[in-house]
């Protein structure tokens, strides 16, 4: 789900909801300018679990659903990175807890 029109003034990564979750959660982030965005989930050992977003996005507020039904309970890290012309504009990570 992407909302365009009321463009955010800055990059932002929100806390996922619900947290803790089982088996899915919503991750929201905002980008104020057209950027190449990746949203990835990692386990606590730093191994990539999944890539939710890997594309150029228009400015706006974006919501993505993460389905962890195939994963075990535990803490996971989600990271949003926004780039433009090979430069990182924004990079932030947060933790989430999956409880089965």
């Amino acid at each position: 789900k992407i909302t365009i029109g009321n463009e955010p003034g800055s990059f932002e990564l929100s806390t996922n909801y619900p947290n803790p979750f089982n088996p899915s959660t919503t991750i929201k982030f905002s980008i104020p300018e057209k950027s190449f965005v990746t949203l990835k989930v990692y386990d606590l050992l730093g191994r990539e679990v999944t890539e939710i977003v890997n594309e150029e996005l228009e400015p706006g507020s974006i919501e993505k659903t993460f389905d962890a039904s195939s994963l075990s309970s535990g803490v996971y890290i989600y990271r949003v990175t926004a780039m433009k012309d090979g430069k990182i504009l924004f990079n932030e990570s947060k933790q989430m807890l999956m409880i089965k």
Side-chain angles (χ1 to χ4, degrees), residues 38-56:
T38 59
L39 171 58
K40 297 181 180 184
V41 178
Y42 301 88
D43 64 15
L44 280 181
L45 297 176
R47 296 178 296 209
E48 185 177 317
V49 173
T50 191
E51 185 174 64
I52 301 170
V53 176
N54 185 13
E55 62 185 304
E56 190 166 69

Side-chain angles (χ1 to χ4, degrees), residues 9-92:
S10 63
F11 289 96
E12 183 180 344
L13 175 60
S14 301
T15 302
N16 64 300
Y17 182 81
N19 191 20
F21 66 97
N22 178 20
S24 65
T25 187
T26 300
I27 299 171
K28 296 180 186 181
F29 60 94
S30 299
I31 56 172
E33 60 185 88
K34 188 174 184 176
S35 310
F36 187 85
V37 177
T38 59
L39 171 58
K40 297 181 180 184
V41 178
Y42 301 88
D43 64 15
L44 280 181
L45 297 176
R47 296 178 296 209
E48 185 177 317
V49 173
T50 191
E51 185 174 64
I52 301 170
V53 176
N54 185 13
E55 62 185 304
E56 190 166 69
L57 296 176
E58 295 293 329
S61 297
I62 296 98
E63 290 184 11
K64 294 292 182 176
T65 300
F66 171 56
D67 182 0
S69 55
S70 63
L71 301 174
S72 58
S73 295
V75 176
Y76 293 90
I77 309 295
Y78 57 101
R79 173 181 290 155
V80 169
T81 303
M83 299 180 70
K84 186 172 187 175
D85 299 326
K87 296 179 183 176
I88 296 176
L89 302 175
F90 178 74
N91 188 31
E92 188 173 345

